[in-house]
């Protein structure tokens, strides 16, 4: 026993800093979720404030906000999952057809670039196109068509398309590399056999490539479905420049929680929204993982 | 049949070429705007190639306009300290979890893993860091919250240690009586450089690009990182244009950086990443695919 303790003590010591960090950064805030059930007052703190039961949740779900942010979060995620997957697989298949090693590397390098940017920079790039005074769309494209420029940051109608496009622009190279690495692993002899049988390119894609990609595709989609209650805060906060005129189509649960905390000081309702997100999100992860487990055991998270 | 293959390949080149252009054009817009004369930008807007070349913005930038040097210093410091500390903590924990026969190993692994499934969310995290640890407007606010140790990287590193370090090597070293800590730093770590480089790059990129910690916890201009400075620049510009002047700091309006200066600052924030990226592309790609395969 003593010997065992001495043998493993240094190992526990090595684990300790990171475990302490996770305890503070991740576990204590879980306990702090009780704030959603309190009548929070700054001067009394979380523990001093009185209990309010489910009042905050009642208020939240009585507003239109709850519906808007849930709808936006889920619909955007569904659009992302569908379009990003189709696009990423298409690009991976095309990339796989390129014989020249140099060009292959070039395309990969370029397509991965957006993933390295912060959302602040992405918002600058979007602003470069959509800025009302100096943007490329107003000043160059619309001017050439003799059309009047628009204040894009006040026109809600275009933003669902802008955000879906921007998300695709950022993530598609990243996702296609994942699919591409699966493609590289497909046994070449399948294709050679198909060539002997005179299969067309299209037939080879439909009957060899896609079926081989299916496990990766299913896993990636299910994991995204597990995250469907979460949104990329930067995409919905930075890219529309937090413009008030666009809140109806750019508010997600994450931006709502942030604004409740920092801008409108509505801690009660936004912490209720946070708990709503954590709990539903948690159930969805478990559910998605349960399905992955049924389909392909080795791809499950746990 | 050969013919259709060739046709398909040309089609692939065309589509990938178009996609590459769609990726690159916004970058060109950013870079050329930073090299364009301010008056031209105001009159004719941003352009994909500079209409009237000017290095004015960069001259201002390197003369120290707009607090850019200070912000750079903060970003470098935060990235260096955060990455070093985070990486060290991550690999140490990962190694501990890879040790065979460690009592409570399963429980500790679950403790780490669970943080990937469930979290308390922004508000409790914010309350804890500000009310308990009083982190607001300190350099620690940019380093500590959320970025240091990520369970995902711990799990990736652990599976690398378990699969790539032969247990015979560890046994032999232990029989020689080498201590666990020396064993890790002198034998395990040198054998694991690819995964350490990959995780280090990912953590480093996270710090370099982070703007949320600044947004949540920092209001002191002396502690602004480059990303936060950029956020504020574009917000002030936007507020000015849409006439939402209320609540705007008058000093900030007076010192409003010109458009090209703003673009030049953005270029300078991307530049280090773009310079490092080709050198370490192998590790970036590895980081992506290793994550997909699962830990």
């Amino acid at each position: 026993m003593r010997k065992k303790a001495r043998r493993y003590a240094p190992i526990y010591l090595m684990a300790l800093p990171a475990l302490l960090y996770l305890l503070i950064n991740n576990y204590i805030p879980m306990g702090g979720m009780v704030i959603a059930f309190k009548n929070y007052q700054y001067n009394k703190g979380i523990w001093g404030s009185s209990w309010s039961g489910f009042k905050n949740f009642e208020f939240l779900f009585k507003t239109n906000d709850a519906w808007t942010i849930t709808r936006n979060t889920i619909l955007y995620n569904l659009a992302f999952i569908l379009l990003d997957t189709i696009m990423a697989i298409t690009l991976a298949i095309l990339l796989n057809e390129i014989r020249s090693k140099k060009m292959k590397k070039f395309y990969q390098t370029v397509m991965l670039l957006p993933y390295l940017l912060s959302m602040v920079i992405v918002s600058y790039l979007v602003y470069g196109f959509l800025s009302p005074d100096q943007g490329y769309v107003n000043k160059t494209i619309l001017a050439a068509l003799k059309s009047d420029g628009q204040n894009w940051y006040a026109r809600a109608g275009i933003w669902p398309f802008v955000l879906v496009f921007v998300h695709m622009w950022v993530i598609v190279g990243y996702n296609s590399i994942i699919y591409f690495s699966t493609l590289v692993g497909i046994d070449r002899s399948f294709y050679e056999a198909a060539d002997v049988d005179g299969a067309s390119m299209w037939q080879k894609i439909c009957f060899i490539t896609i079926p081989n990609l299916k496990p990766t595709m299913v896993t990636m989609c299910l994991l995204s479905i597990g995250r469907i209650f979460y949104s990329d805060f930067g995409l919905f906060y930075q890219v529309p420049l937090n413009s008030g005129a666009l809140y109806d189509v750019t508010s997600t649960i994450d931006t709502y929680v942030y604004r409740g905390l920092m801008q409108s000081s509505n801690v009660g309702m936004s912490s209720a929204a946070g708990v709503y997100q954590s709990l539903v999100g948690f159930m969805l992860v478990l559910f998605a993982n349960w399905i992955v487990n049924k389909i392909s055991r080795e791809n499950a998270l746990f | 049949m050969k013919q259709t293959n060739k046709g398909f390949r040309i089609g692939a080149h065309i589509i990938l070429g178009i996609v590459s252009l769609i990726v690159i054009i916004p970058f060109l817009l950013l870079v050329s705007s930073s090299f364009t004369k301010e008056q031209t930008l105001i009159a004719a807007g941003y352009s994909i190639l500079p209409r009237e070349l000017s290095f004015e913005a960069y001259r201002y930038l390197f003369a120290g306009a707009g607090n850019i040097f200070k912000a750079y210093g903060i970003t470098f410091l935060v990235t260096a300290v955060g990455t070093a500390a985070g990486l060290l903590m991550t690999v140490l924990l990962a190694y501990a979890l890879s040790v065979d026969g460690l009592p409570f190993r399963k429980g500790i692994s679950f403790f780490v893993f669970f943080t990937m499934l469930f979290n308390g969310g922004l508000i409790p995290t914010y309350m804890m860091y500000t009310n308990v640890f009083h982190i607001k407007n300190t350099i620690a606010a940019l380093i500590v919250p959320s970025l240091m140790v990520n369970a995902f990287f711990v799990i990736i590193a652990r599976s690398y240690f378990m699969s790539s370090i032969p247990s015979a090597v560890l046994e032999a070293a232990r029989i020689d009586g080498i201590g666990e800590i020396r064993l890790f730093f002198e034998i395990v770590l040198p054998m694991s450089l690819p995964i350490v480089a990959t995780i280090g790059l990912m953590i480093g990129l996270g710090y370099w690009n982070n703007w949320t910690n600044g947004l949540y916890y920092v209001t002191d201009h002396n502690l602004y990182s480059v990303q936060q400075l950029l956020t504020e620049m574009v917000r002030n510009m936007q507020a000015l244009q849409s006439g939402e002047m209320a609540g705007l700091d008058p000093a900030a309006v007076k010192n409003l950086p010109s458009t090209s200066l703003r673009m030049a600052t953005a270029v300078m924030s991307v530049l280090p990443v773009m310079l490092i990226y080709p050198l370490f592309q192998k590790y970036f790609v590895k980081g992506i695919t290793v994550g997909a395969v699962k830990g």
Side-chain angles (χ1 to χ4, degrees):
Chain A
M1 192 63 215
R2 194 85 172 270
K3 208 172 145 207
K4 210 172 169 182
R6 189 177 299 161
R7 164 148 159 47
Y8 289 116
I11 297 175
Y12 285 124
L13 200 68
M14 290 161 93
L16 195 63
L19 290 179
L20 272 179
Y21 178 81
L22 291 177
L23 178 71
I24 292 170
N25 188 68
N26 298 69
Y27 281 92
I28 294 179
M30 289 181 201
M33 288 167 80
V34 295
I35 190 175
F37 304 93
K38 293 258 183 168
N39 222 333
Y40 183 72
Q41 285 170 290
Y42 277 99
N43 51 356
K44 289 186 182 163
I46 293 183
W47 300 110
S49 300
S50 60
W51 290 97
S52 68
F54 286 90
K55 273 252 161 53
N56 287 326
F57 293 87
E58 266 171 50
F59 283 132
L60 173 68
F61 288 105
K62 264 187 198 147
T63 62
N64 284 331
D65 295 349
W67 159 244
T68 308
I69 59 177
T70 309
R71 175 199 68 191
N72 287 350
T73 309
I74 290 177
L75 285 185
Y76 275 115
N77 273 318
L78 286 177
F80 295 160
I81 294 170
L82 184 72
L83 296 172
D84 293 350
T85 307
I86 293 173
M87 196 65 191
I89 289 179
T90 309
L91 292 179
I93 290 173
L94 294 177
L95 209 56
N96 200 34
E97 287 309 313
I98 305 294
R99 288 286 162 268
S100 146
K101 272 216 164 105
K102 239 190 195 155
M103 286 312 285
K104 203 181 259 188
K105 175 130 196 240
F106 170 78
Y107 291 136
Q108 259 192 329
T109 308
V110 170
M111 290 194 308
L112 197 55
L113 282 179
Y115 180 72
L116 306 174
L117 303 179
S118 77
M119 271 298 166
V120 179
I121 299 295
V122 174
S123 81
Y124 268 61
L125 299 180
V126 174
Y127 192 66
F129 284 90
L130 296 183
S131 156
D133 295 340
Q134 291 158 317
Y136 193 76
V137 171
N138 276 359
K139 278 286 192 177
T140 306
I141 299 176
L142 289 180
L145 299 171
K146 305 250 180 295
S147 228
D148 282 339
Q150 306 270 351
N151 184 5
W152 300 111
Y153 288 87
R155 299 212 10 181
I158 64 155
W159 281 88
F161 300 98
V162 174
L163 291 173
V164 168
F165 180 81
V166 171
H167 188 267
M168 197 192 277
W169 187 83
V170 170
I171 208 73
V172 116
Y174 176 93
N175 284 352
S176 72
I177 283 178
I178 294 175
Y179 287 114
F180 180 68
S181 70
T182 316
L183 278 184
V184 173
I186 300 177
D187 191 346
R188 279 275 131 198
S189 60
F190 286 132
Y191 291 101
E192 282 154 18
D195 280 338
V196 171
D197 290 344
S200 72
M201 203 65 226
W202 185 245
Q203 284 170 321
K204 282 189 276 181
I205 290 174
C206 287
F207 298 110
I208 304 175
T209 312
I210 304 268
N212 271 290
L213 281 180
K214 217 168 147 195
T216 313
M217 197 171 89
V218 168
T219 312
M220 298 252 302
C221 289
L222 281 170
L223 292 180
S224 309
I225 288 171
R227 307 267 319 153
I228 210 166
F229 240 58
Y230 289 89
S231 63
D232 183 337
F233 177 54
L235 180 66
F236 293 96
Y237 176 79
Q238 292 285 8
V239 176
L241 302 180
N242 197 20
S243 168
L246 306 176
Y247 281 175
D248 195 39
V249 292
T250 60
S251 279
T252 61
I253 303 177
D254 297 87
T255 64
Y256 180 81
V257 171
Y258 169 76
R259 286 191 196 115
L261 176 66
M262 296 290 190
Q263 292 175 355
S264 54
S265 305
N266 198 339
V267 174
M269 247 149 72
S270 59
S271 57
V275 169
Y276 165 58
Q277 179 181 48
S278 291
L279 290 180
V280 180
F282 182 54
M283 288 188 286
L284 283 170
V285 176
L286 294 184
F287 177 68
N289 189 67
W290 179 71
I291 295 181
V292 179
N293 248 322
K294 299 233 133 174
I295 297 170
S296 60
R297 184 94 191 67
E298 73 272 22
N299 285 315
L301 268 172
F302 52 91
Chain B
M1 189 200 75
K2 272 266 146 61
Q3 212 57 41
T4 58
N5 268 359
K6 199 166 180 202
F8 191 84
R9 204 166 302 152
I10 293 170
H13 272 294
I14 292 173
I15 296 175
L16 289 170
I18 292 172
V19 170
S20 303
L21 269 182
I22 293 174
V23 169
I24 291 173
I25 284 176
F27 283 91
L28 287 181
L29 199 75
L30 180 76
V31 174
S32 58
S33 304
S34 73
F35 282 109
T36 304
K37 235 179 140 176
E38 185 70 19
Q39 286 86 342
T40 317
L41 273 185
I42 291 170
Y46 305 127
S47 54
I48 290 171
L49 296 171
R51 285 201 179 86
E52 207 172 336
L53 207 62
S54 152
F55 299 94
E56 202 63 8
Y58 289 90
R59 208 168 299 145
Y60 272 115
L61 203 68
F62 290 115
N67 279 337
I68 182 76
F69 281 141
K70 202 178 257 171
Y72 249 102
I74 297 280
T75 296
F76 268 111
L77 177 74
V78 164
T79 305
V81 174
T83 308
L87 182 60
L88 184 66
M89 284 156 79
T90 302
V91 293
L92 282 175
L93 175 57
Y95 174 69
L97 291 177
S98 78
V99 171
D100 257 336
L102 182 78
F104 311 113
R105 187 166 83 157
K106 263 214 159 117
I108 301 171
S109 296
F110 181 77
F111 178 87
V112 174
F113 177 69
F114 188 70
T115 61
M116 285 168 65
L117 303 181
F118 190 73
N119 69 74
L122 172 63
I123 292 180
T125 310
Y126 175 85
M127 296 289 176
M128 174 191 72
Y129 276 122
T130 52
N131 297 343
V132 181
F133 293 105
H134 301 287
I135 213 172
K136 217 158 185 171
N137 285 324
T138 64
I139 192 87
L142 296 173
I143 298 176
V144 178
S146 76
L147 297 168
M148 239 174 191
V149 179
N150 182 334
F152 183 62
F153 295 143
V154 175
I155 291 167
I156 291 175
R158 183 194 60 171
S159 38
Y160 188 92
F161 293 145
M162 282 162 79
S163 62
S164 305
I165 313 277
S167 53
V169 173
L170 300 178
E171 283 318 308
R174 284 187 186 123
I175 289 167
D176 285 348
I178 186 174
E180 284 293 337
I181 292 176
R182 264 189 67 201
L183 170 69
F184 175 71
F185 282 104
E186 288 176 17
I187 296 173
V188 175
L189 211 51
M191 289 175 78
S192 316
L193 286 182
I195 197 72
V196 173
T198 300
I199 294 175
L201 275 173
M202 293 302 200
I203 298 179
L205 187 67
Y207 273 105
W208 184 269
N209 280 341
N210 183 269
W211 49 274
T212 46
N213 279 347
L215 182 74
Y216 300 151
Y217 304 110
V218 173
T219 50
D220 178 357
H221 284 241
N222 290 319
L223 283 174
Y224 271 18
S225 67
V226 178
Q227 302 289 343
Q228 201 177 357
L229 192 67
L230 285 168
T231 308
E232 196 183 68
M233 281 176 172
V234 75
R235 279 302 181 290
N236 287 345
M237 178 63 81
Q238 174 70 2
L240 202 66
Q241 282 173 349
S242 56
E244 297 167 10
M245 291 297 290
L248 212 60
D249 181 6
V253 175
K254 214 184 94 207
N255 297 325
L256 202 63
S258 67
T259 310
S260 52
L261 185 62
R262 216 153 35 83
M263 294 311 210
T265 311
V267 170
M268 294 307 287
S269 90
V270 180
L271 200 64
V273 179
M274 294 295 142
L275 290 179
I276 286 180
Y277 168 56
L279 302 176
F280 292 96
Q281 196 196 3
K282 200 174 71 186
Y283 294 117
F284 272 118
V285 171
K286 198 181 163 100
I288 294 169
T289 47
V290 93
V293 178
K294 152 210 171 147

